[in-house]
Coordinates of all heavy atoms in Angstrom, one line a residue:
A109 N -88.5 -166.2 -36.8 CA -88.8 -166.6 -38.2 C -89.5 -165.5 -39.0 O -89.2 -165.3 -40.1 CB -89.6 -167.9 -38.2
E110 N -90.5 -164.8 -38.4 CA -91.3 -163.9 -39.1 C -90.4 -162.7 -39.6 O -90.6 -162.3 -40.8 CB -92.4 -163.3 -38.3 CG -93.5 -164.3 -38.0 CD -93.3 -165.1 -36.7 OE1 -92.1 -165.1 -36.2 OE2 -94.2 -165.8 -36.2
L111 N -89.4 -162.3 -38.8 CA -88.5 -161.2 -39.3 C -87.5 -161.7 -40.3 O -87.3 -161.1 -41.3 CB -87.8 -160.7 -38.0 CG -88.7 -159.9 -37.0 CD1 -87.8 -159.4 -35.9 CD2 -89.5 -158.9 -37.6
I112 N -86.9 -162.9 -40.0 CA -85.9 -163.5 -40.9 C -86.5 -163.7 -42.3 O -85.8 -163.5 -43.3 CB -85.4 -164.8 -40.3 CG1 -84.5 -164.5 -39.1 CG2 -84.7 -165.6 -41.4 CD1 -84.2 -165.7 -38.3
F113 N -87.8 -164.0 -42.4 CA -88.4 -164.2 -43.7 C -89.2 -163.1 -44.1 O -90.0 -163.2 -45.2 CB -89.2 -165.5 -43.7 CG -88.4 -166.8 -43.6 CD1 -88.5 -167.6 -42.4 CD2 -87.4 -167.1 -44.5 CE1 -87.7 -168.7 -42.3 CE2 -86.6 -168.3 -44.4 CZ -86.8 -169.1 -43.3
H114 N -89.2 -162.0 -43.4 CA -89.8 -160.7 -43.8 C -91.3 -161.0 -44.1 O -91.9 -160.6 -45.2 CB -89.2 -160.1 -45.1 CG -89.4 -158.7 -45.3 ND1 -88.8 -157.7 -44.5 CD2 -90.1 -158.0 -46.2 CE1 -89.2 -156.5 -44.9 NE2 -90.0 -156.7 -45.9
Q115 N -92.0 -161.5 -43.1 CA -93.4 -161.9 -43.2 C -94.3 -161.2 -42.2 O -93.8 -161.0 -41.1 CB -93.6 -163.4 -43.1 CG -92.9 -164.2 -44.2 CD -93.4 -163.9 -45.6 OE1 -94.6 -163.7 -45.8 NE2 -92.5 -163.7 -46.6
G116 N -95.5 -160.9 -42.5 CA -96.4 -160.3 -41.6 C -97.3 -161.3 -40.9 O -97.1 -162.5 -40.9
L117 N -98.4 -160.8 -40.4 CA -99.3 -161.6 -39.6 C -100.0 -162.6 -40.5 O -100.4 -162.3 -41.7 CB -100.4 -160.7 -39.0 CG -100.0 -159.6 -38.0 CD1 -101.1 -158.8 -37.6 CD2 -99.4 -160.4 -36.7
G118 N -100.2 -163.8 -40.0 CA -100.9 -164.8 -40.7 C -100.2 -165.6 -41.8 O -100.7 -166.5 -42.4
N119 N -98.9 -165.3 -42.0 CA -98.2 -165.9 -43.1 C -97.5 -167.2 -42.7 O -97.3 -168.1 -43.6 CB -97.2 -164.9 -43.7 CG -97.9 -163.8 -44.5 OD1 -99.0 -163.9 -44.9 ND2 -97.1 -162.7 -44.7
L120 N -97.0 -167.2 -41.5 CA -96.2 -168.4 -41.1 C -96.8 -169.0 -39.8 O -97.3 -168.3 -38.9 CB -94.8 -168.0 -40.8 CG -93.9 -167.4 -41.9 CD1 -92.6 -167.0 -41.4 CD2 -93.9 -168.3 -43.1
F121 N -96.8 -170.3 -39.8 CA -97.2 -171.1 -38.6 C -95.9 -171.5 -37.9 O -95.2 -172.4 -38.4 CB -98.0 -172.3 -38.9 CG -98.6 -173.0 -37.8 CD1 -99.9 -172.7 -37.4 CD2 -98.0 -174.0 -37.1 CE1 -100.6 -173.3 -36.3 CE2 -98.6 -174.7 -36.1 CZ -99.9 -174.3 -35.6
V122 N -95.5 -170.9 -36.8 CA -94.2 -171.0 -36.2 C -94.2 -171.7 -34.9 O -95.0 -171.4 -34.0 CB -93.6 -169.6 -36.0 CG1 -92.1 -169.8 -35.4 CG2 -93.5 -168.8 -37.3
I123 N -93.4 -172.8 -34.8 CA -93.2 -173.5 -33.6 C -91.8 -173.4 -33.2 O -90.8 -173.6 -34.0 CB -93.5 -175.0 -33.9 CG1 -94.9 -175.2 -34.4 CG2 -93.3 -175.9 -32.6 CD1 -95.0 -176.4 -35.4
R124 N -91.6 -172.9 -32.0 CA -90.2 -172.6 -31.5 C -89.9 -173.4 -30.2 O -90.7 -173.4 -29.3 CB -90.0 -171.1 -31.3 CG -90.1 -170.3 -32.6 CD -89.8 -168.8 -32.3 NE -88.4 -168.6 -32.0 CZ -88.0 -167.3 -31.8 NH1 -88.8 -166.3 -31.8 NH2 -86.7 -167.2 -31.5
V125 N -88.7 -174.1 -30.2 CA -88.3 -174.8 -29.1 C -86.8 -174.9 -29.1 O -86.2 -174.9 -30.2 CB -88.9 -176.3 -29.1 CG1 -88.5 -177.0 -30.4 CG2 -88.5 -177.0 -27.9
A126 N -86.2 -174.8 -28.0 CA -84.7 -174.8 -27.9 C -84.1 -176.0 -28.7 O -84.6 -177.2 -28.5 CB -84.2 -174.9 -26.5
G127 N -83.2 -175.7 -29.6 CA -82.6 -176.8 -30.4 C -83.4 -177.3 -31.5 O -83.1 -178.3 -32.1
N128 N -84.5 -176.7 -31.9 CA -85.4 -177.1 -32.9 C -85.6 -178.6 -32.9 O -85.6 -179.3 -33.9 CB -85.0 -176.6 -34.3 CG -83.5 -176.7 -34.6 OD1 -82.8 -175.8 -34.3 ND2 -83.1 -177.8 -35.2
I129 N -85.8 -179.2 -31.7 CA -86.0 -180.6 -31.5 C -87.4 -181.1 -31.9 O -88.4 -180.2 -32.0 CB -85.7 -181.1 -30.1 CG1 -86.7 -180.4 -29.1 CG2 -84.3 -180.8 -29.7 CD1 -86.7 -181.0 -27.7
V130 N -87.5 -182.3 -32.2 CA -88.9 -182.9 -32.5 C -89.3 -183.8 -31.3 O -88.6 -184.8 -30.9 CB -88.8 -183.8 -33.8 CG1 -90.1 -184.5 -34.0 CG2 -88.5 -182.9 -35.0
A131 N -90.4 -183.4 -30.7 CA -91.1 -184.2 -29.7 C -92.6 -184.3 -30.1 O -93.0 -183.6 -31.0 CB -90.9 -183.5 -28.4
P132 N -93.3 -185.1 -29.4 CA -94.8 -185.3 -29.8 C -95.5 -184.0 -29.9 O -96.3 -183.9 -30.8 CB -95.3 -186.2 -28.6 CG -94.1 -187.0 -28.2 CD -93.0 -186.1 -28.3
S133 N -95.3 -183.0 -29.1 CA -96.1 -181.8 -29.2 C -95.8 -181.0 -30.4 O -96.7 -180.4 -31.1 CB -95.9 -180.9 -27.9 OG -94.5 -180.6 -27.8
Q134 N -94.5 -181.1 -30.9 CA -94.1 -180.4 -32.1 C -94.8 -181.2 -33.3 O -95.3 -180.5 -34.3 CB -92.6 -180.3 -32.3 CG -92.0 -179.3 -31.5 CD -91.7 -179.7 -30.0 OE1 -91.2 -180.8 -29.8 NE2 -92.1 -178.9 -29.1
I135 N -94.7 -182.5 -33.3 CA -95.3 -183.3 -34.4 C -96.8 -183.0 -34.5 O -97.3 -182.7 -35.6 CB -95.0 -184.8 -34.2 CG1 -93.5 -185.1 -34.3 CG2 -95.8 -185.6 -35.2 CD1 -93.2 -186.5 -33.9
G136 N -97.5 -183.0 -33.3 CA -98.9 -182.7 -33.3 C -99.2 -181.3 -33.9 O -100.2 -181.2 -34.6
S137 N -98.4 -180.3 -33.5 CA -98.6 -179.0 -34.0 C -98.5 -178.9 -35.6 O -99.3 -178.2 -36.2 CB -97.6 -178.0 -33.3 OG -97.9 -177.9 -32.0
I138 N -97.5 -179.6 -36.1 CA -97.2 -179.6 -37.5 C -98.4 -180.4 -38.2 O -98.9 -179.9 -39.3 CB -95.9 -180.2 -37.8 CG1 -94.8 -179.2 -37.3 CG2 -95.7 -180.5 -39.3 CD1 -93.4 -179.8 -37.3
E139 N -98.8 -181.5 -37.7 CA -99.9 -182.2 -38.2 C -101.1 -181.4 -38.3 O -101.8 -181.3 -39.3 CB -100.2 -183.5 -37.4 CG -99.2 -184.6 -37.5 CD -99.5 -185.7 -36.5 OE1 -100.3 -185.5 -35.6 OE2 -98.9 -186.8 -36.7
F140 N -101.4 -180.7 -37.2 CA -102.6 -179.8 -37.1 C -102.5 -178.7 -38.2 O -103.5 -178.6 -39.0 CB -102.6 -179.1 -35.8 CG -103.6 -177.9 -35.7 CD1 -105.0 -178.2 -35.6 CD2 -103.2 -176.6 -35.8 CE1 -105.9 -177.1 -35.6 CE2 -104.1 -175.6 -35.7 CZ -105.4 -175.8 -35.6
A141 N -101.4 -178.0 -38.4 CA -101.3 -177.0 -39.4 C -101.4 -177.5 -40.8 O -102.1 -177.0 -41.7 CB -100.0 -176.2 -39.2
A142 N -100.8 -178.6 -41.1 CA -100.8 -179.2 -42.4 C -102.2 -179.7 -42.8 O -102.6 -179.5 -44.0 CB -99.8 -180.4 -42.5
E143 N -102.9 -180.2 -41.8 CA -104.2 -180.7 -42.1 C -105.3 -179.6 -42.1 O -106.1 -179.5 -43.0 CB -104.7 -181.8 -41.1 CG -104.0 -183.1 -41.3 CD -104.7 -184.2 -40.6 OE1 -104.9 -184.1 -39.4 OE2 -105.0 -185.3 -41.2
Q144 N -105.2 -178.8 -41.1 CA -106.2 -177.7 -40.9 C -106.1 -176.6 -42.0 O -107.2 -176.2 -42.5 CB -106.1 -177.1 -39.5 CG -107.1 -176.1 -39.1 CD -108.4 -176.7 -38.8 OE1 -108.5 -177.9 -38.5 NE2 -109.5 -175.9 -38.7
F145 N -104.9 -176.2 -42.3 CA -104.8 -175.1 -43.2 C -104.3 -175.5 -44.6 O -104.2 -174.6 -45.5 CB -103.8 -174.1 -42.6 CG -104.1 -173.7 -41.2 CD1 -103.2 -173.9 -40.2 CD2 -105.4 -173.2 -40.9 CE1 -103.4 -173.5 -38.9 CE2 -105.6 -172.9 -39.5 CZ -104.7 -173.1 -38.6
G146 N -103.9 -176.7 -44.8 CA -103.5 -177.2 -46.1 C -102.1 -176.7 -46.4 O -101.6 -176.7 -47.6
T147 N -101.3 -176.3 -45.4 CA -100.0 -175.8 -45.6 C -99.1 -176.9 -46.1 O -99.1 -178.0 -45.5 CB -99.4 -175.2 -44.3 OG1 -100.4 -174.3 -43.8 CG2 -98.1 -174.5 -44.5
R148 N -98.3 -176.7 -47.2 CA -97.6 -177.8 -47.8 C -96.1 -177.7 -47.7 O -95.4 -178.5 -48.3 CB -98.0 -177.9 -49.3 CG -99.4 -178.5 -49.5 CD -99.5 -179.9 -48.9 NE -100.8 -180.5 -48.8 CZ -101.5 -180.5 -47.7 NH1 -101.0 -180.0 -46.5 NH2 -102.7 -181.1 -47.6
L149 N -95.5 -176.7 -46.9 CA -94.1 -176.7 -46.7 C -93.8 -176.6 -45.2 O -94.4 -175.8 -44.5 CB -93.5 -175.4 -47.4 CG -92.0 -175.2 -47.2 CD1 -91.2 -176.3 -47.8 CD2 -91.6 -173.9 -47.7
V150 N -92.9 -177.5 -44.8 CA -92.4 -177.5 -43.4 C -90.9 -177.3 -43.5 O -90.2 -178.0 -44.2 CB -92.7 -178.8 -42.7 CG1 -92.2 -178.8 -41.3 CG2 -94.2 -179.1 -42.7
V151 N -90.5 -176.3 -42.8 CA -89.0 -176.0 -42.7 C -88.5 -176.2 -41.3 O -89.0 -175.5 -40.4 CB -88.7 -174.6 -43.2 CG1 -87.2 -174.3 -43.0 CG2 -89.1 -174.4 -44.6
V152 N -87.6 -177.1 -41.0 CA -86.9 -177.2 -39.8 C -85.7 -176.3 -39.9 O -84.7 -176.5 -40.6 CB -86.4 -178.6 -39.5 CG1 -85.7 -178.7 -38.2 CG2 -87.6 -179.6 -39.4
M153 N -85.7 -175.2 -39.1 CA -84.6 -174.2 -39.2 C -83.8 -174.1 -37.9 O -84.2 -173.7 -36.9 CB -85.2 -172.8 -39.5 CG -84.1 -171.8 -39.8 SD -84.8 -170.2 -40.3 CE -85.6 -169.6 -38.8
G154 N -82.6 -174.6 -38.0 CA -81.6 -174.4 -37.0 C -80.8 -173.2 -37.2 O -81.1 -172.4 -38.2
H155 N -79.7 -172.9 -36.4 CA -78.9 -171.7 -36.7 C -77.5 -172.0 -36.2 O -77.3 -172.8 -35.4 CB -79.6 -170.5 -35.9 CG -79.6 -170.7 -34.5 ND1 -78.6 -170.2 -33.7 CD2 -80.5 -171.2 -33.6 CE1 -78.9 -170.4 -32.4 NE2 -80.1 -171.1 -32.3
S156 N -76.7 -171.2 -36.7 CA -75.2 -171.2 -36.3 C -75.1 -171.0 -34.8 O -75.8 -170.3 -34.2 CB -74.4 -170.2 -37.1 OG -74.9 -168.9 -36.9
R157 N -74.1 -171.7 -34.2 CA -73.7 -171.5 -32.8 C -74.9 -171.7 -31.9 O -75.1 -171.0 -30.9 CB -73.1 -170.1 -32.6 CG -71.8 -169.9 -33.4 CD -71.0 -168.7 -32.9 NE -71.7 -167.5 -33.1 CZ -71.7 -166.8 -34.2 NH1 -71.2 -167.2 -35.3 NH2 -72.3 -165.6 -34.3
C158 N -75.7 -172.7 -32.2 CA -76.9 -173.0 -31.4 C -76.5 -173.4 -30.0 O -75.7 -174.4 -29.8 CB -77.7 -174.1 -32.0 SG -79.2 -174.6 -31.1
G159 N -77.0 -172.8 -29.0 CA -76.7 -173.0 -27.6 C -77.1 -174.4 -27.1 O -76.4 -175.1 -26.3
A160 N -78.3 -174.9 -27.6 CA -78.8 -176.2 -27.1 C -77.9 -177.3 -27.7 O -77.6 -178.3 -27.0 CB -80.2 -176.3 -27.6
V161 N -77.4 -177.1 -28.9 CA -76.5 -178.1 -29.5 C -75.2 -178.1 -28.8 O -74.6 -179.2 -28.5 CB -76.4 -177.9 -31.0 CG1 -75.3 -178.9 -31.6 CG2 -77.7 -178.1 -31.7
D162 N -74.7 -176.9 -28.5 CA -73.4 -176.7 -27.8 C -73.5 -177.4 -26.4 O -72.6 -178.1 -25.9 CB -73.1 -175.3 -27.7 CG -71.7 -175.1 -27.1 OD1 -70.8 -175.8 -27.6 OD2 -71.5 -174.2 -26.2
A163 N -74.7 -177.2 -25.7 CA -74.9 -177.8 -24.4 C -74.9 -179.3 -24.5 O -74.4 -180.0 -23.6 CB -76.2 -177.3 -23.8
S164 N -75.4 -179.9 -25.6 CA -75.4 -181.3 -25.8 C -74.1 -181.8 -26.0 O -73.7 -182.9 -25.5 CB -76.3 -181.6 -27.0 OG -77.7 -181.2 -26.8
I165 N -73.2 -181.1 -26.8 CA -71.8 -181.5 -27.0 C -71.1 -181.6 -25.6 O -70.4 -182.5 -25.3 CB -71.1 -180.6 -27.9 CG1 -71.7 -180.7 -29.3 CG2 -69.6 -180.9 -27.9 CD1 -71.2 -179.7 -30.3
K166 N -71.3 -180.5 -24.8 CA -70.6 -180.5 -23.5 C -71.1 -181.5 -22.6 O -70.3 -182.1 -21.8 CB -70.8 -179.1 -22.9 CG -70.1 -178.0 -23.6 CD -70.3 -176.6 -23.0 CE -69.3 -175.5 -23.5 NZ -69.4 -175.3 -25.0
Q167 N -72.4 -181.8 -22.7 CA -72.9 -182.9 -21.8 C -72.3 -184.3 -22.2 O -72.0 -185.1 -21.3 CB -74.4 -183.0 -22.0 CG -75.1 -184.2 -21.3 CD -75.1 -184.0 -19.8 OE1 -74.8 -182.9 -19.2 NE2 -75.4 -185.1 -19.1
L168 N -72.1 -184.5 -23.5 CA -71.5 -185.7 -23.9 C -70.0 -185.8 -23.6 O -69.5 -186.9 -23.3 CB -71.6 -185.9 -25.4 CG -73.0 -186.2 -26.0 CD1 -73.1 -186.1 -27.5 CD2 -73.4 -187.6 -25.6
Q169 N -69.4 -184.6 -23.6 CA -67.9 -184.6 -23.3 C -67.7 -184.6 -21.8 O -66.7 -185.2 -21.3 CB -67.3 -183.4 -23.9 CG -67.2 -183.4 -25.4 CD -66.8 -182.1 -26.0 OE1 -67.0 -181.0 -25.4 NE2 -66.1 -182.1 -27.1
R170 N -68.5 -183.9 -21.0 CA -68.4 -183.8 -19.6 C -69.8 -183.9 -18.9 O -70.4 -182.8 -18.6 CB -67.7 -182.5 -19.2 CG -66.3 -182.3 -19.7 CD -65.7 -181.0 -19.3 NE -66.4 -179.8 -19.8 CZ -66.2 -179.3 -21.0 NH1 -65.4 -179.9 -21.8 NH2 -66.9 -178.3 -21.4
P171 N -70.2 -185.1 -18.7 CA -71.6 -185.2 -18.1 C -71.7 -184.5 -16.8 O -70.8 -184.5 -16.0 CB -71.7 -186.7 -17.9 CG -70.8 -187.3 -18.9 CD -69.6 -186.4 -19.0
S172 N -72.8 -183.9 -16.6 CA -73.1 -183.1 -15.3 C -74.3 -183.6 -14.6 O -75.4 -183.6 -15.2 CB -73.2 -181.6 -15.7 OG -73.7 -180.9 -14.5
E173 N -74.1 -184.0 -13.4 CA -75.3 -184.5 -12.6 C -76.1 -183.4 -12.1 O -77.3 -183.6 -11.7 CB -74.8 -185.4 -11.4 CG -74.0 -186.6 -11.8 CD -74.7 -187.5 -12.7 OE1 -76.0 -187.7 -12.5 OE2 -74.1 -188.1 -13.6
Q174 N -75.6 -182.2 -12.1 CA -76.3 -181.0 -11.6 C -77.2 -180.4 -12.7 O -78.0 -179.4 -12.4 CB -75.4 -180.0 -11.1 CG -74.8 -180.3 -9.7 CD -73.7 -181.4 -9.8 OE1 -72.9 -181.3 -10.7 NE2 -73.7 -182.3 -8.9
R175 N -77.2 -180.9 -13.9 CA -78.0 -180.3 -15.0 C -79.5 -180.4 -14.7 O -79.9 -181.5 -14.2 CB -77.6 -180.9 -16.3 CG -78.2 -180.1 -17.5 CD -77.7 -180.7 -18.8 NE -76.2 -180.7 -18.9 CZ -75.5 -179.6 -19.3 NH1 -76.1 -178.5 -19.6 NH2 -74.2 -179.7 -19.4
S176 N -80.2 -179.4 -15.0 CA -81.7 -179.4 -14.8 C -82.3 -180.6 -15.6 O -82.0 -180.8 -16.8 CB -82.3 -178.1 -15.3 OG -83.6 -178.3 -15.7
P177 N -83.2 -181.3 -15.0 CA -83.9 -182.4 -15.7 C -84.7 -181.9 -16.9 O -84.9 -182.6 -17.9 CB -84.8 -183.1 -14.7 CG -84.9 -182.1 -13.6 CD -83.7 -181.3 -13.6
N178 N -85.2 -180.7 -16.8 CA -85.9 -180.1 -17.9 C -85.0 -179.8 -19.1 O -85.4 -180.1 -20.3 CB -86.6 -178.9 -17.5 CG -87.6 -179.1 -16.4 OD1 -88.5 -180.0 -16.5 ND2 -87.5 -178.5 -15.2
L179 N -83.8 -179.3 -18.8 CA -82.8 -179.1 -19.9 C -82.4 -180.4 -20.5 O -82.2 -180.6 -21.7 CB -81.7 -178.3 -19.4 CG -80.5 -178.0 -20.4 CD1 -81.1 -177.3 -21.6 CD2 -79.4 -177.2 -19.8
H180 N -82.3 -181.4 -19.5 CA -81.8 -182.7 -20.0 C -82.8 -183.3 -21.0 O -82.4 -184.1 -21.9 CB -81.7 -183.7 -18.8 CG -81.3 -185.1 -19.2 ND1 -80.0 -185.4 -19.7 CD2 -82.0 -186.2 -19.2 CE1 -79.9 -186.7 -19.9 NE2 -81.1 -187.2 -19.7
S181 N -84.1 -183.0 -20.9 CA -85.1 -183.5 -21.8 C -84.8 -183.0 -23.2 O -85.2 -183.7 -24.2 CB -86.5 -183.2 -21.3 OG -86.7 -181.8 -21.5
I182 N -84.3 -181.8 -23.4 CA -83.9 -181.3 -24.7 C -82.6 -181.9 -25.1 O -82.5 -182.4 -26.3 CB -83.8 -179.8 -24.6 CG1 -85.2 -179.1 -24.3 CG2 -83.2 -179.2 -25.9 CD1 -85.2 -177.7 -24.0
V183 N -81.6 -181.9 -24.2 CA -80.2 -182.4 -24.6 C -80.3 -183.9 -25.0 O -79.7 -184.3 -25.9 CB -79.3 -182.2 -23.4 CG1 -78.0 -183.0 -23.6 CG2 -79.0 -180.7 -23.2
S184 N -81.1 -184.6 -24.3 CA -81.2 -186.1 -24.6 C -81.8 -186.4 -26.0 O -81.6 -187.4 -26.5 CB -82.1 -186.8 -23.5 OG -83.4 -186.3 -23.5
R185 N -82.5 -185.4 -26.5 CA -83.1 -185.6 -27.9 C -82.1 -185.2 -28.9 O -82.1 -185.7 -30.1 CB -84.4 -184.8 -28.0 CG -85.5 -185.3 -27.2 CD -86.9 -184.6 -27.6 NE -88.0 -185.2 -26.8 CZ -88.6 -186.3 -27.2 NH1 -88.4 -186.8 -28.4 NH2 -89.6 -186.7 -26.5
I186 N -81.2 -184.3 -28.6 CA -80.1 -183.9 -29.5 C -78.9 -184.8 -29.5 O -78.4 -185.2 -30.6 CB -79.7 -182.5 -29.2 CG1 -80.8 -181.5 -29.3 CG2 -78.5 -182.1 -30.1 CD1 -80.5 -180.1 -28.9
S187 N -78.5 -185.3 -28.4 CA -77.2 -186.0 -28.2 C -77.1 -187.2 -29.1 O -76.0 -187.4 -29.7 CB -77.1 -186.4 -26.7 OG -77.0 -185.3 -25.9

Side-chain angles (χ1 to χ4, degrees):
E110 291 88 349
L111 297 182
I112 287 168
F113 293 117
H114 202 70
Q115 297 299 319
L117 296 174
N119 291 339
L120 301 179
F121 189 92
V122 180
I123 304 148
R124 297 182 69 180
V125 59
N128 43 273
I129 61 169
V130 172
S133 59
Q134 283 83 50
I135 295 173
S137 295
I138 292 168
E139 289 174 344
F140 168 76
E143 287 196 306
Q144 183 77 15
F145 309 125
T147 310
R148 287 298 170 259
L149 178 66
V150 179
V151 177
V152 176
M153 186 173 70
H155 64 92
S156 60
R157 301 193 297 278
C158 178
V161 175
D162 188 45
S164 300
I165 293 172
K166 288 179 170 59
Q167 175 70 14
L168 288 168
Q169 293 173 330
R170 298 182 297 277
S172 170
E173 299 302 323
Q174 284 74 44
R175 192 175 300 278
S176 156
N178 298 304
L179 178 59
H180 179 71
S181 69
I182 295 171
V183 169
S184 65
R185 290 187 179 274
I186 298 173
S187 297

